[in-house]
Amino acid sequence: MNARVLAATGRSRARRAANGSAAEGAARAGLTARGVIYLLVGVLALRIAFGAGNRQADRGGALAELSDKPFGAVLLWALGAGLVGMALWRLSEAVFGVTGKDGHTLRKRLPAAARCVFYAFVAYSVLAFAAGAGGSGSSDRQSRDVTARVMAMPAGRWLVGVAGAAIVVAGVVIGVQAVRRTFHKKMKLGGLSPRTRRLVDVTGVAGGAARGLVFAGAGAFAVRAAVAYEPDRAKGLDDTLRSFAGTSLGPWLLACVAAGLVLFGVFSFALARLRRV
């Protein structure tokens, strides 16, 4: 057997492993972990909306909230492991292709690679927090610090503006896709009862729309920071959510967005069970 045949055989085995039960388990664990984080962030934001919150509504606040629960340390390690699974699943998609039509094209693989990098960072921060290293600080401070460092680079102001605009576009796309229910293409819905399917639709549409709105808001603040050349105008998740309470609708808009994030967490649990992997 020559080297070319051996290489082809190795790639075939790797592809089967990436598309097999290991990848499926990693994906479902990752989606569940993502759901936990969104659910907790939504609950924290609801508390803020009703004047009862003393924690930041971001990943750091969610991890602190989880650590206070019985067996909190175990839950944190499990959450980190799930997010590692998410990163590995996205890596397999970037290398071997995404499930569905045109899954092997560069247009589908590049976003998977970007998601892999993002979830690898999130998994690291969660595991660092679980290990007591304080790896997940304030999202607002992190956003300001990163914005300031980028702005100090040549053409950094333009980089921040372009990145912010890209996040705004991503938020709009997320929201539009949720309203159009494009998630149906990624889920196995055939065996569900009408009532369960309606529940999936409600959580997917409302949750996705709220998530898209938060993305768009954070991106808009980054653009504003670039235009004003003031890094402190950039906002993380917590400040972005709190800004909704400063609109004419007051805390009620924040409450609606927060409830949407809770619904997105529930939708992520449904996706963990029904997602085509």
Side-chain angles (χ1 to χ4, degrees):
M1 187 177 292
N2 58 37
R4 183 175 297 178
V5 174
L6 284 172
T9 302
R11 285 195 298 269
S12 177
R13 289 176 178 173
R15 188 183 298 276
R16 285 197 299 270
N19 294 329
S21 59
E24 182 176 345
R28 303 201 189 288
L31 290 167
T32 301
R34 185 185 72 174
V36 170
I37 291 177
Y38 271 99
L39 183 66
L40 290 174
V41 169
V43 169
L44 291 172
L46 278 172
R47 291 179 185 172
I48 292 170
F50 293 109
N54 57 0
R55 273 189 174 139
Q56 292 196 320
D58 57 15
R59 185 171 63 248
L63 297 181
E65 185 76 11
L66 197 62
S67 68
D68 288 344
K69 305 301 179 189
F71 305 104
V74 175
L75 295 173
L76 287 172
W77 284 107
L79 190 67
L83 291 167
V84 169
M86 176 74 97
L88 292 175
W89 171 45
R90 295 305 190 183
L91 177 62
S92 72
E93 288 188 325
V95 174
F96 300 109
V98 179
T99 301
K101 185 179 179 181
D102 301 326
H104 296 281
T105 61
L106 194 62
R107 183 172 62 88
K108 293 293 183 70
R109 290 187 178 191
L110 282 178
R115 292 185 183 106
C116 171
V117 173
F118 172 75
Y119 281 110
F121 170 77
V122 175
Y124 169 78
S125 68
V126 172
L127 291 172
F129 187 95
S136 187
S138 163
S139 62
D140 304 319
R141 186 179 68 251
Q142 290 175 353
S143 179
R144 290 191 295 268
D145 290 347
V146 170
T147 302
R149 284 197 294 268
V150 175
M151 280 190 176
M153 300 166 55
R157 185 178 181 182
W158 287 99
L159 290 174
V160 171
V162 170
I167 295 172
V168 171
V169 171
V172 172
V173 170
I174 289 171
V176 170
Q177 288 181 339
V179 173
R180 295 180 60 189
R181 304 179 189 181
T182 59
F183 52 82
H184 283 181
K185 301 175 184 178
K186 302 177 181 179
M187 302 178 76
K188 297 176 285 188
L189 301 173
L192 299 182
S193 67
R195 182 177 180 180
T196 303
R197 185 159 179 158
R198 282 195 300 272
L199 178 61
V200 170
D201 280 348
V202 168
T203 57
V205 172
R211 182 176 178 238
L213 183 59
V214 172
F215 267 69
F221 284 120
V223 172
R224 191 179 71 167
V227 171
Y229 207 19
E230 296 179 8
D232 286 348
R233 293 201 175 200
K235 295 182 183 294
L237 178 57
D238 179 70
D239 271 353
T240 299
L241 286 168
R242 290 174 189 268
S243 69
F244 291 119
T247 65
S248 58
L249 295 176
W252 289 108
L253 179 57
L254 173 56
C256 289
V257 174
L261 295 181
V262 171
L263 290 176
F264 186 77
V266 175
F267 174 72
S268 291
F269 298 149
L271 201 58
R273 177 172 172 262
L274 301 171
R275 178 69 153 82
R276 289 193 178 96
V277 180

